[in-house]
Amino acid sequence: LPKLKLSAPASADCISQEQANSFFATYKLYNWSEDKKDYVVTTTIPDLCNAGDIASRLVRTNEYMKALNSFQNPMSSSIVFREGASNYFTKRIKEIVIEPAPEKPSPDDTCPPGVIAYVYMPEKDVMHICTAGFLRFDTLYMMTYVLVHEARHTEGYGHVDCNHGPYSKSEGDGSMLAACDANYESQGSYGIGAGFLLEVAKNSTNPVEKQDARSRAVVDMVQRFNKMPLGIKPGLVAQSQSGEISFFEGAKREPLTQIENPESKMTFRMGLPTFFDPLAGTVLTYSYQADLSEGEGEYAKNYVALYNSSEQRVFPRCLLWR
Ligand SMILES: [Zn+2]
């Protein structure tokens, strides 16, 4: 089986002319022409080695989806993997429009700040890519995650208000509307995205991609569905003075793990319980499996190396995670 590779478009890898040809044989691509003040069909990639170019990124995601086709699994809960990722996408999208980055971003733009891609239902099989938003992503699987989510909207799937979590009116900042799906099983756009991440986590042989997809899938599972899938339960994660971490679902306490240094402070990173140990300089993330995995914690390590003292008190919230 081909290996899924995490290839950052910022790397020096070039795409091949064959890959570009394969993309243009599959999709009609439109670019905004400042001269013509209109969208024009484009069939060339000016620089096959410029990974900052949106069209070349689309060629890369096309190749990534084609590679994922070999993991097609008729038994998967993910429609993307049931159909094969590239099959899924080409079935729904025939034309792609690259929307230019506005000179002065405004909420009235077709691509307001934060929007990565969108579809307009009456256009059916057309996807619009927002230049500024799309360039923020640097992994192929996260670009693909956005594309497969948006493609599902062409079939009439919308979103509903969240009944819990950071995107809900009660717990959020009140600005988020319709940022959830009712459930995972009906495979609306968030179901498509979460199912996609679960399968990438399962099939990828790249450990970074695997773990990141897994963490993102868990966060989506917890935050994006009004009926939580896979038996996920709301509750409290508690840290006792002796360093025991337990889950409390309202009536009883269930031990999860024991951290070595009770001085460790628990915080959350990407929705995952994370322990910062001010003595050892470690950052451990509990990613819903038996072991704590050590995450990136360069600041913490350097801090301990430079100012090692048990009298220092460091609070995780003051840190920039990197
Ligand atoms: Zn959506």
Side-chain angles (χ1 to χ4, degrees):
L1 288 175
K3 288 184 177 177
L4 301 187
K5 277 198 298 185
L6 178 91
S7 29
S11 73
D13 306 4
C14 303
I15 51 169
S16 70
Q17 189 58 51
E18 289 71 41
Q19 292 173 337
N21 294 346
S22 157
F23 176 83
F24 289 117
T26 315
Y27 306 101
K28 202 168 179 183
L29 186 69
Y30 291 87
N31 248 325
W32 175 256
S33 161
E34 211 35 61
D35 294 346
K36 301 203 170 72
K37 296 280 175 229
D38 200 0
Y39 294 91
V40 293
V41 175
T42 172
T43 54
T44 52
I45 305 282
D47 179 356
L48 297 170
C49 299
N50 178 5
D53 173 61
I54 298 282
S56 91
R57 285 188 171 210
L58 291 170
V59 172
R60 284 162 199 265
T61 51
N62 186 44
E63 290 298 315
Y64 184 78
M65 284 194 256
K66 276 160 57 182
L68 288 182
N69 267 356
S70 47
F71 296 97
Q72 186 176 354
N73 171 12
M75 305 302 289
S76 174
S77 68
S78 154
I79 289 186
V80 177
F81 278 76
R82 234 185 279 161
E83 296 183 3
S86 172
N87 303 333
Y88 162 89
F89 196 70
T90 54
K91 194 166 138 187
R92 290 160 180 88
I93 300 298
K94 310 269 185 249
E95 300 187 7
I96 300 177
V97 183
I98 298 176
E99 301 289 346
E103 277 179 20
K104 281 195 215 123
S106 128
D108 303 327
D109 290 329
T110 49
C111 285
V115 174
I116 301 143
Y118 67 93
V119 299
Y120 176 57
M121 275 177 205
E123 291 180 331
K124 273 170 87 172
D125 49 15
V126 183
M127 185 172 296
H128 299 258
I129 303 290
C130 296
T131 294
F134 207 69
L135 284 177
R136 285 203 346 256
F137 284 84
D138 58 4
T139 59
L140 288 175
Y141 80 96
M142 282 309 291
M143 289 184 233
T144 305
Y145 167 82
V146 173
L147 297 181
V148 296
H149 172 115
E150 286 306 315
R152 190 58 158 164
H153 284 312
T154 62
E155 294 173 283
Y157 287 84
H159 294 305
V160 295
D161 288 346
C162 300
N163 65 4
H164 67 271
Y167 304 111
S168 68
K169 277 184 209 156
S170 52
E171 293 170 60
D173 62 7
S175 67
M176 296 299 291
L177 293 169
C180 280
D181 284 355
N183 57 55
Y184 170 75
E185 292 74 18
S186 57
Q187 289 281 287
S189 287
Y190 283 119
I192 288 284
F196 168 79
L197 291 174
L198 281 178
E199 289 284 357
V200 170
K202 196 165 90 191
N203 294 302
S204 176
T205 54
N206 177 309
V208 177
E209 181 176 75
K210 200 177 184 68
Q211 183 54 44
D212 194 47
R214 191 175 192 280
S215 305
R216 288 175 191 273
V218 170
V219 173
D220 268 14
M221 291 288 181
V222 171
Q223 298 181 343
R224 295 295 191 178
F225 304 100
N226 284 346
K227 178 179 163 283
M228 287 194 197
L230 306 174
I232 293 171
K233 293 177 288 190
L236 173 87
V237 178
Q239 174 180 2
S240 76
Q241 281 189 342
S242 64
E244 188 190 62
I245 306 299
S246 59
F247 181 74
F248 180 64
E249 38 79 347
K252 63 176 188 327
R253 203 169 79 147
E254 199 184 309
L256 293 176
T257 191
Q258 173 74 37
I259 48 172
E260 269 173 41
N261 177 9
E263 281 294 302
S264 287
K265 298 286 180 290
M266 182 169 64
T267 182
F268 278 84
R269 176 163 69 160
M270 284 185 63
L272 296 171
T274 298
F275 305 95
F276 169 68
D277 184 334
L279 297 180
T282 54
V283 177
L284 298 170
T285 297
Y286 181 70
S287 55
Y288 305 99
Q289 51 195 0
D291 300 322
L292 293 170
S293 63
E294 180 153 8
E296 298 155 29
E298 285 308 308
Y299 278 117
K301 282 199 180 77
N302 292 344
Y303 181 84
V304 170
L306 289 169
Y307 308 106
N308 193 4
S309 159
S310 55
E311 279 159 37
Q312 302 271 3
R313 297 198 70 195
V314 182
F315 295 92
R317 75 180 63 185
C318 305
L319 289 179
L320 285 169
W321 302 105
R322 61 172 292 205

